[in-house]
Amino acid sequence: MKLIGKRIEKDGSGRVTVRPEDDEDMWHLYNIIQEGDRVRAAGMRRIQNVSTTGSVDSKRIRLNLTLAVTRVTWSPSSAPGAESGTKSGAPNAAPVATAKVEVTGRVAEENQHVKLGAFHTLDIEANKDVRIEKDAGGWDSVALGRVEESCVPGRGAEVAAIVCGEGSAIFCLLSEHMTTVLQRLEVPIPRKISTQSSAHEKGLSRYYQTLYTSFLRHVPYASPSLRAIVIASPGWTRDAVFDSIMAEASRTSNKALLAARNKFIKVHVNSPHVHSLVEALKSPEIASQMKETKFAREGMMLDKFFKMLATDEMRAWYGPDHVALAADRGAIGTLLISDELFRSSDAATRKKYVNIVEDVQQKGGKVLIFSSMHESGRQLNQLTGIAAILTFPLDIEVVEAEEREAKEEEERRNAEERGTET
Amino acid sequence: MTVDQRQLDIAGLNLDDDDPLEVILDEPAKPPAVVEKLIEEAKAALTAQEKSEKRSLSLVVVGHVDAGKSTMMGRLLYELGQIDEKKRVANERGSAKMGKSSFSWAWELDGTQEERERGITMDIALQTLNTPHRIITILDAPGHRDFIPNMISGASQADSALLVVDAAVGEFEAGFDRGGQTREHLLLVRSLGVSQVIVAVNKLDQVEWAKSRYNEIVQLLKPFLVQSGFHPSRTKFVPVVAMEGVNLTRREPADCPLFKWYEGPTLVDLLDALDPPTRDINAPLRFPISNIFKGTTSGITVSGRVCGGIVVAGERLRIVPGDESATVKLIDNDGESLPWAGAGSNINLILTSVDPVSLNIGSVLCRPGSIIPLTFSFIARIIVFDIQIPITAGTSIELFHHSLDVPASISRLISVLDRSNGNVIKSKPRVLTKNMSAEVEISLRGSLYSGPASRALPIPIEPFSVNKEMGRILVRRGGETIGAGAYHPLRAHQLRLIIGRLGVVMELLT
Ligand SMILES: Nc1nc2c(ncn2[C@@H]2O[C@H](COP(=O)(O)OP(=O)(O)OP(=O)(O)O)[C@@H](O)[C@H]2O)c(=O)[nH]1
Ligand SMILES: [Mg+2]
């Protein structure tokens, strides 16, 4: 995303103008725009003109509108890769934005065509400027952090991953903040039947063939921004898949693919499901090459949390209430928090989480905001969206009991005070 | 490079199949009245069979990788006269040619090219053993940990188990230590309802036929078997050497050092005395599909085990999930065509008048009118295995139910239960740790990603109280089984509690 302009006041109000370019930028916008903001962007609107003769003339016109936002929705790209560059026969064109962010609200600035207060839904367009204006306190550290992160010049590294099982393959494309499932392939392979039957072998070769076709279609193997092509599977499927891709590449003298040979990384995972992505990405083969990418960091952090849970349960807490308690006690060494929690339509809820983040940072703790568009973020979401690794062990039961006591104590004091007043 | 885009498009749709599976419209299904009559006949015949001389059962062969399971089954088939000399020689030549002659006996079971090249069983092989008093369906399972999903599919079709352990020094230990499959397989088969097990202590030739080693292994296994829920009276041990055929069917060769100290039964003696399962032939028909292929006859063949009720040739069955149906043209049991088959039978059904795309591994065939329920989310009571990382709410898991392996999550930790009486010890626990018994909610994984959605079909599952076999589940995470249990809908008082809280009493109760 390009940063076009930014003006933030001391009180956290102000405006930011950006120009989204691709799906990932749309995802950022979805995470930056909140209910109550004012958004100005280009859109289409049907305008009716009643002429002097009384005939009604309706036409669609382009215009810039400013909306007081009441709702933001996100719809992931429907069939990416299906279009991307395949028309030219080269599957390696630059990605196009197909994900959608829709901003709904009332028109907040006078416009010659639209009445103030009329409802409108803007479909945010790629390569057009979007201005986001927030009220006091709106540009909190998390929101500003997101803007900064999304406007780092140059797209981050991309990684293609194919999670395979015998007869299945899930093609994914990972960029810094999101994972897109490009295709789910399933080719029924009869399981081994009798020693004479070749049905299984036939099914397998059909699987490799289909997989190769999908590969050409979906994986931008020749694109320079594609850092790696990960093939992950249990058993030995990944070897067979890799070998069959390379064999086809040489048979058809696909030079670009042959040249991409060293982009391939084969990793073992324990199941052929998409949630194995986390396992694949934290594997030493990949972590060593890509430790600076967001998804690798998220995967490793989540792993660290679970390892802590195994070795010292009292230092691994999760759930909003528990983590808030740990934060109060200054016990958080690392905070794992999902971007989903900041998307709350309720400003107070968002503030609560922003406060936890700032609090942890002030006390020297580490904060990692997970993207819920990555598998690791998704798994964190399942785990309530928030978890913490503590710097020292704390017994939840004890902390909760103390909290209860403190509360009772306070109530008693309040009651007494009230008593003395009267 | 030029690629014809149209060709890519079509190939992407996965339509061009070299032997396309067409929809076969065949003879019409039998009318319900006829089916009803056949079922009655079958019930009478099955009840009579319960008293017959020759009873049938199914046995899953399990154990750590390379313990000698396939070799033992191959050799056993040969000793029982079920592999002829010609075939034996062919296997011997073939395996020698590949430089894998030690796997010659295993070749009878390890049928795919890759299995033979690697000398590793990767999927279940099905064979039938004929002992004097039993007809035993053998399911030879893979031992390699990556193929446990296939082993589970096999074990869920069996009612007894043969555990093979390698007696060689270090090898037994590798299988029995933490992370070894001897342990995991035993827990898995027990969790799937298998309660009788024969333990074959194999490769005694590797330890100079030492009685002390045999005893040592037996003593190590016994407490673990009890702990895992196998009753000592239903646990048998036998020393063997699969490769040489020692003590499989006969006490031969007589001069073998084993017989200096071993006087007990042979493996076949033990197999011949296995208890056949009790068969619930009165339950509604349930046939979970474990394999789908195109056989030699017209139609589509599906394999599996009848997990309740009776299936009759000629009847029309529903395929669940989905709205499709299929006609059972033939019931095939090891090459023999049957008019019907009852609960506990491992059979192939040849289906006609069916659209093949509506058949999936894990689908359940049911009689119309008594269809298995479907769900995306359910309450299970589970026992947590010996895990290191505790289970939290939201843990991503692989859910196993018969031959189905689907991504899911433990969406809620409801309570920790007392293992002895099932009472609630703690509600809403933060984590579940090893050996706990607990009530949890399991939800299938939906698709939230960008891009095409996963085929999120609901799973066909029944409460344990209704049909045990259809209620059992296994839970795995990162290649490790973390728990086992069954679908138990919430108990009445809990239901009232929750409903009360949600304030939707009327909606749910009416
Ligand atoms: N010395 C000796 N070797 C044996 C014996 N039984 C099997 N083997 C060898 O053990 C190896 C493994 O045998 P398999 O039958 O493939 O073992 P498995 O348990 O089926 O292995 P998986 O199915 O891959 O888990 C082969 O090389 C066999 O020749 C035995 O009694 N003695
Ligand atoms: Mg084997």
Side-chain angles (χ1 to χ4, degrees):
Chain A
M1 202 145 67
K2 280 201 185 72
L3 184 64
I4 307 296
K6 180 166 140 188
R7 196 190 152 84
I8 311 291
E9 308 301 329
K10 277 224 169 62
D11 66 353
S13 66
R15 49 176 64 170
V16 167
T17 306
V18 289
R19 190 177 301 158
E21 287 157 338
D22 53 26
D23 277 6
E24 188 160 296
D25 293 342
M26 292 297 172
W27 174 245
H28 285 305
L29 283 178
Y30 174 59
N31 280 280
I32 294 169
I33 302 171
Q34 296 277 125
E35 230 179 274
D37 294 353
R38 277 164 310 284
V39 168
R40 182 174 178 81
M44 300 289 284
R45 182 145 176 130
R46 187 172 292 280
I47 306 290
Q48 285 188 345
N49 270 329
V50 183
S51 73
T52 42
T53 58
S55 70
V56 180
D57 164 40
S58 150
K59 62 176 184 210
R60 280 159 61 81
I61 57 160
R62 287 194 67 84
L63 74 181
N64 276 315
L65 282 176
T66 307
L67 303 181
V69 180
T70 53
R71 198 160 57 108
V72 191
T73 58
W74 157 261
S75 33
S77 59
S78 45
E83 293 122 25
S84 69
T86 41
K87 280 179 206 91
S88 58
N92 293 303
V96 284
T98 51
K100 243 165 72 168
V101 174
E102 284 183 342
V103 179
T104 306
R106 285 181 189 276
V107 173
E109 257 171 43
E110 199 85 58
N111 184 294
Q112 70 173 106
H113 298 289
V114 193
K115 276 208 293 281
L116 209 61
F119 264 105
H120 187 85
T121 296
L122 280 172
D123 195 345
I124 302 291
E125 294 172 39
N127 304 315
K128 296 266 155 38
D129 292 359
V130 181
R131 191 184 77 200
I132 304 155
E133 194 176 338
K134 290 180 188 284
D135 289 335
W139 290 109
D140 54 39
S141 60
V142 172
L144 287 174
R146 187 97 194 193
V147 170
E148 196 177 325
E149 230 180 323
S150 62
C151 295
V152 172
R155 290 172 55 82
E158 286 195 327
V159 171
I162 313 167
V163 184
C164 312
E166 220 176 65
S168 71
I170 307 171
F171 289 82
C172 309
L173 193 64
L174 292 92
S175 53
E176 193 70 3
H177 285 87
M178 64 193 253
T179 300
T180 306
V181 174
L182 304 171
Q183 197 199 353
R184 288 171 190 273
L185 178 77
E186 264 183 64
V187 178
I189 300 178
R191 297 173 65 179
K192 88 183 188 200
I193 303 148
S194 68
T195 350
Q196 285 89 34
S197 171
S198 63
H200 178 75
E201 266 79 21
K202 266 198 198 152
L204 272 179
S205 56
R206 197 162 47 224
Y207 165 60
Y208 298 136
Q209 272 166 30
T210 321
L211 193 145
Y212 184 71
T213 313
S214 298
F215 180 91
L216 288 186
R217 182 172 190 149
H218 291 299
V219 179
Y221 52 86
S223 151
S225 68
L226 191 77
R227 283 266 301 272
I229 304 165
V230 177
I231 308 181
S233 82
W236 298 283
T237 309
R238 62 189 172 285
D239 297 321
V241 164
F242 173 70
D243 293 347
S244 75
I245 290 175
M246 282 301 137
E248 268 308 290
S250 1
R251 199 183 62 79
T252 55
S253 343
N254 184 337
K255 294 220 177 64
L257 182 47
L258 289 169
R261 189 186 179 97
N262 51 15
K263 284 189 182 176
F264 284 85
I265 307 175
K266 295 182 278 179
V267 283
H268 177 266
V269 288
N270 280 294
S271 91
H273 304 303
V274 74
H275 64 232
S276 294
L277 266 181
V278 172
E279 197 187 337
L281 297 176
K282 66 163 207 249
S283 70
E285 295 97 313
I286 296 183
S288 63
Q289 281 197 34
M290 269 167 272
K291 49 184 170 298
E292 81 291 359
T293 62
K294 187 165 175 64
F295 51 80
R297 273 183 294 138
E298 287 182 3
M300 284 184 281
M301 196 59 85
L302 201 60
D303 194 43
K304 229 163 118 186
F305 172 79
F306 284 119
K307 289 215 170 104
M308 185 55 86
L309 199 60
T311 51
D312 192 351
E313 212 192 292
M314 284 196 251
R315 287 182 57 195
W317 285 27
Y318 73 98
D321 298 345
H322 287 169
V323 172
L325 284 179
D328 281 350
R329 285 165 193 243
I332 297 181
T334 307
L335 179 71
L336 297 75
I337 185 164
S338 159
D339 56 10
E340 189 171 81
L341 297 186
F342 302 109
R343 239 178 286 134
S344 164
S345 55
D346 168 25
T349 310
R350 177 180 167 106
K351 186 124 188 46
K352 181 178 98 185
Y353 291 118
V354 173
N355 284 345
I356 295 182
V357 168
E358 290 175 349
D359 187 46
V360 170
Q361 280 165 339
Q362 266 156 27
K363 289 180 180 140
K366 216 159 95 183
V367 175
L368 188 61
I369 299 178
F370 281 51
S371 168
S372 37
M373 274 289 118
H374 277 318
E375 180 58 29
S376 37
R378 196 181 152 148
Q379 291 187 12
L380 181 63
N381 280 347
Q382 285 176 190
L383 190 83
T384 73
I386 185 164
I389 302 173
L390 310 196
T391 45
F392 52 89
L394 272 178
D395 188 331
I396 284 195
E397 316 257 323
V398 173
V399 171
E400 279 182 334
E402 285 172 7
E403 289 292 316
R404 255 195 314 277
E405 260 168 46
K407 210 163 160 197
E408 281 162 23
E409 176 75 10
E410 199 181 301
E411 272 163 20
R412 209 165 17 212
R413 215 175 306 126
N414 286 347
E416 272 168 23
E417 273 167 25
R418 252 175 276 134
T420 50
E421 272 165 28
T422 52
Chain B
M1 178 199 70
T2 54
V3 181
D4 182 343
Q5 190 51 40
R6 277 161 312 174
Q7 224 166 13
L8 277 182
D9 285 338
I10 288 172
L13 290 172
N14 190 18
L15 294 173
D16 61 340
D17 182 332
D18 44 5
D19 45 3
L21 304 172
E22 75 282 20
V23 179
I24 306 111
L25 288 165
D26 239 353
E27 59 240 71
K30 292 196 172 101
V34 178
V35 169
E36 210 47 55
K37 204 164 143 258
L38 274 166
I39 293 174
E40 286 316 310
E41 274 176 43
K43 274 187 191 162
L46 280 167
T47 319
Q49 249 179 39
E50 297 271 295
K51 295 178 189 75
S52 77
E53 269 285 275
K54 196 118 170 167
R55 311 270 301 274
S56 53
L57 59 97
S58 51
L59 177 95
V60 63
V61 187
V62 298
H64 197 65
V65 64
D66 275 352
K69 301 176 288 295
S70 305
T71 303
M72 193 175 297
M73 290 308 105
R75 184 79 202 218
L76 201 54
L77 283 164
Y78 175 70
E79 300 286 325
L80 290 169
Q82 290 172 245
I83 300 181
D84 56 26
E85 204 55 36
K86 209 173 115 206
K87 195 110 180 268
R88 185 189 67 78
V89 172
N91 285 345
E92 206 169 83
R93 291 224 179 99
S95 57
K97 219 161 145 191
M98 256 189 206
K100 292 262 174 202
S101 44
S102 78
F103 288 93
S104 129
W105 292 109
W107 268 36
E108 199 50 36
L109 291 299
D110 294 347
T112 71
Q113 206 180 324
E114 192 173 6
E115 286 180 328
R116 291 179 169 188
E117 277 164 11
R118 295 187 185 274
I120 291 272
T121 305
M122 295 168 68
D123 204 351
I124 295 286
L126 214 99
Q127 290 279 353
T128 308
L129 278 185
N130 248 304
T131 67
H133 302 98
R134 297 284 180 266
I135 301 168
I136 306 175
T137 305
I138 296 288
L139 298 131
D140 179 42
H144 192 289
R145 64 190 308 247
D146 275 15
F147 305 112
I148 286 185
N150 293 336
M151 176 270 168
I152 291 172
S153 154
S156 59
Q157 299 172 62
D159 32 52
S160 33
L162 171 64
L163 171 73
V164 181
V165 297
D166 184 338
V169 178
E171 294 301 326
F172 171 77
E173 287 72 14
F176 191 55
D177 284 351
R178 199 201 173 86
Q181 268 56 65
T182 303
R183 225 167 243 276
E184 188 167 11
H185 279 190
L186 274 176
L187 283 168
L188 286 175
V189 292
R190 186 66 195 93
S191 308
L192 290 171
V194 170
S195 61
Q196 70 182 330
V197 61
I198 299 171
V199 181
V201 181
N202 189 30
K203 305 199 192 179
L204 280 172
D205 56 326
Q206 299 280 358
V207 291
E208 273 111 42
W209 312 91
K211 181 183 179 182
S212 56
R213 177 64 173 164
Y214 174 71
N215 285 340
E216 181 193 357
I217 290 173
V218 172
Q219 289 318 316
L220 283 168
L221 280 171
K222 268 187 176 162
F224 182 72
L225 282 159
V226 172
Q227 246 178 58
S228 314
F230 290 96
H231 196 274
S233 68
R234 306 199 78 201
T235 312
K236 301 279 189 282
F237 291 88
V238 59
V240 290
V241 173
M243 191 76 148
E244 317 292 338
V246 176
N247 205 31
L248 295 184
T249 51
R250 284 174 289 271
R251 295 175 56 83
E252 268 176 13
D255 60 349
C256 175
L258 176 66
F259 300 114
K260 291 205 183 96
W261 56 267
Y262 182 74
E263 313 217 301
T266 61
L267 176 59
V268 166
D269 293 337
L270 293 178
L271 290 173
D272 204 43
L274 283 172
D275 296 327
T278 46
R279 300 165 193 280
D280 193 0
I281 52 174
N282 291 313
L285 170 65
R286 301 289 180 250
F287 186 85
I289 297 173
S290 71
N291 195 4
I292 303 166
F293 57 96
K294 213 166 152 13
T296 42
T297 50
S298 69
I300 303 287
T301 307
V302 294
S303 333
R305 168 186 171 91
V306 184
C307 294
I310 294 169
V311 57
V312 176
E315 73 172 315
R316 192 133 178 94
L317 299 178
R318 271 285 299 277
I319 305 161
V320 186
D323 303 315
E324 303 292 322
S325 301
T327 304
V328 180
K329 184 181 171 204
L330 281 171
I331 302 175
D332 164 72
N333 181 18
D334 199 26
E336 187 191 350
S337 157
L338 307 174
W340 37 257
S345 318
N346 301 80
I347 48 172
N348 287 334
L349 299 179
I350 292 100
L351 304 177
T352 56
S353 311
V354 59
D355 181 358
V357 291
S358 59
L359 290 166
N360 288 304
I361 287 180
S363 295
V364 179
L365 300 181
C366 306
R367 192 159 293 134
S370 57
I371 283 172
I372 185 163
L374 288 167
T375 185
F376 283 104
S377 159
F378 60 93
I379 308 289
R381 258 180 258 162
I382 61 167
I383 301 231
V384 179
F385 287 3
D386 185 13
I387 53 169
Q388 276 171 333
I389 298 176
I391 298 172
T392 56
T395 298
S396 283
I397 56 161
E398 294 99 53
L399 172 69
F400 288 84
H401 181 251
H402 286 272
S403 297
L404 215 66
D405 162 4
V406 289
S409 76
I410 299 208
S411 41
R412 229 154 33 99
L413 308 181
I414 300 168
S415 55
V416 178
L417 307 173
D418 185 325
R419 278 184 83 156
S420 55
N421 56 22
N423 289 340
V424 173
I425 301 177
K426 185 177 197 308
S427 1
K428 291 211 239 156
R430 193 175 78 97
V431 291
L432 302 178
T433 50
K434 65 179 171 195
N435 303 328
M436 275 184 179
S437 168
E439 197 160 46
V440 297
E441 179 191 68
I442 296 178
S443 303
L444 300 195
R445 188 188 161 112
S447 178
L448 279 176
Y449 279 114
S450 342
S454 59
R455 197 190 52 175
L457 290 173
I459 66 160
I461 184 169
E462 245 165 333
F464 189 68
S465 55
V466 175
N467 182 328
K468 287 198 173 70
E469 281 188 53
M470 294 312 297
R472 292 196 181 93
I473 52 141
L474 291 169
V475 173
R476 293 179 37 94
R477 168 182 70 189
E480 186 190 26
T481 307
I482 59 172
Y487 169 28
H488 286 275
L490 281 186
R491 285 168 257 184
H493 71 275
Q494 291 174 307
L495 203 60
R496 270 197 300 279
L497 242 165
I498 289 183
I499 292 170
R501 220 178 292 140
L502 295 175
V504 287
V505 186
M506 293 325 290
E507 270 171 53
L508 278 174
L509 292 184
T510 49

